[in-house]
């Protein structure tokens, strides 16, 4: 897996610590799962791990048809307002190409990243799940700008490439 982390203006974030984890790793939402990496001068990190691909059926268009998908889950942990947040990405490869879903979690009382940021429909903002009436954020702190998932024909290994924007936040 390769990832590049950038600021909202597109500048690379170099020297940032980011923990990478693959969903099939043991206890992937635990605070010590995966590996802590430091972004290089171009904001890039690379993480290689043997991980099985899950197969499932997902709804892509018609409510009556489900498409075959190959799924891999990827997590990356970064700072969000003085707390650590685990951004959980689901990459589904369907016939038309890769699809992506994204969620953000903070650690619960057990230390595992199992508390999803709360979306407040009334104000169209996000808040910490343990403080829903507290700070309201304009975003979750990170946004996947680009994603790709493909199988390398020569090696038979899956390759994932992502570009992630670390968002500035504003209080509402």
């Amino acid at each position: 897996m390769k990832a590049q982390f950038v600021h909202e203006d597109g500048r690379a974030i170099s020297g940032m610590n980011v923990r990478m984890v693959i969903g099939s790793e043991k206890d992937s939402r635990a605070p010590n799962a995966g590996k802590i990496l430091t972004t290089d001068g171009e904001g890039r990190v690379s993480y290689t791990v043997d991980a099985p691909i899950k197969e499932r059926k997902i709804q892509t268009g018609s409510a009556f048809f489900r498409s075959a998908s190959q799924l891999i889950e990827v997590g990356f942990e970064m700072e969000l307002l003085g707390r650590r947040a685990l951004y959980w990405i689901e990459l589904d490869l369907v016939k038309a190409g890769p699809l992506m879903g994204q969620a953000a979690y903070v650690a619960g009382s057990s230390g595992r990243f199992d508390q999803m940021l709360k979306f407040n429909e009334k104000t169209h903002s996000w808040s910490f799940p343990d403080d829903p009436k507290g700070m309201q954020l304009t975003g979750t702190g990170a946004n996947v700008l680009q994603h790709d998932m493909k199988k390398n024909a020569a090696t038979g290994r899956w390759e994932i490439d992502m570009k992630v924007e670390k968002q500035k936040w504003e209080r509402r």
Side-chain angles (χ1 to χ4, degrees):
M1 184 184 131
K2 295 177 183 174
Q4 180 184 31
F5 294 87
V6 297
H7 294 283
E8 287 181 318
D9 63 7
R11 289 179 301 117
I13 303 174
S14 62
M16 178 179 74
N17 288 334
V18 60
R19 181 172 62 93
M20 302 298 294
V21 63
I22 304 296
S24 60
E25 290 181 72
K26 184 179 180 193
D27 205 9
S28 57
R29 302 253 180 133
N32 58 350
K35 185 173 183 178
I36 296 175
L37 305 165
T38 303
T39 58
D40 66 13
E42 295 179 349
R44 296 182 187 279
V45 294
S46 180
Y47 183 51
T48 302
V49 63
D50 286 328
I53 299 293
K54 297 177 188 173
E55 297 200 6
R56 68 180 184 174
K57 298 243 184 213
I58 62 170
Q59 184 176 336
T60 57
S62 167
F64 304 104
F65 179 74
R66 297 176 69 78
S67 299
S69 162
Q70 293 177 303
L71 166 73
I72 191 154
E73 297 168 296
V74 174
F76 57 90
E77 180 188 338
M78 297 188 314
E79 183 272 336
L80 174 64
L81 299 174
R83 294 175 75 170
R84 300 300 289 176
L86 181 66
Y87 297 90
W88 199 253
I89 312 302
E90 290 185 349
L91 292 169
D92 279 286
L93 186 60
V94 296
K95 192 174 187 177
L99 303 174
M100 186 204 71
Q102 176 180 331
Y105 297 84
V106 292
S109 59
S110 68
R112 296 182 79 248
F113 289 88
D114 56 5
Q115 301 293 309
M116 191 182 328
L117 291 184
K118 180 178 175 13
F119 182 69
N120 305 292
E121 287 189 36
K122 207 176 205 184
T123 59
H124 292 276
S125 62
W126 296 88
S127 60
F128 290 113
D130 53 0
D131 191 14
K133 295 190 186 271
M135 283 189 282
Q136 295 194 355
L137 313 171
T138 55
T140 62
N143 184 35
V144 176
L145 300 174
Q146 297 171 354
H147 63 279
D148 193 24
M149 175 183 174
K150 63 185 173 200
K151 193 170 191 175
N152 183 315
T155 65
R157 296 182 71 124
W158 285 92
E159 297 175 352
I160 297 166
D161 198 4
M162 294 190 312
K163 184 174 186 177
V164 179
E165 172 187 77
K166 186 163 181 12
Q167 299 172 329
K168 289 182 181 178
W169 57 273
E170 299 173 19
R171 289 186 191 205
R172 285 194 171 182

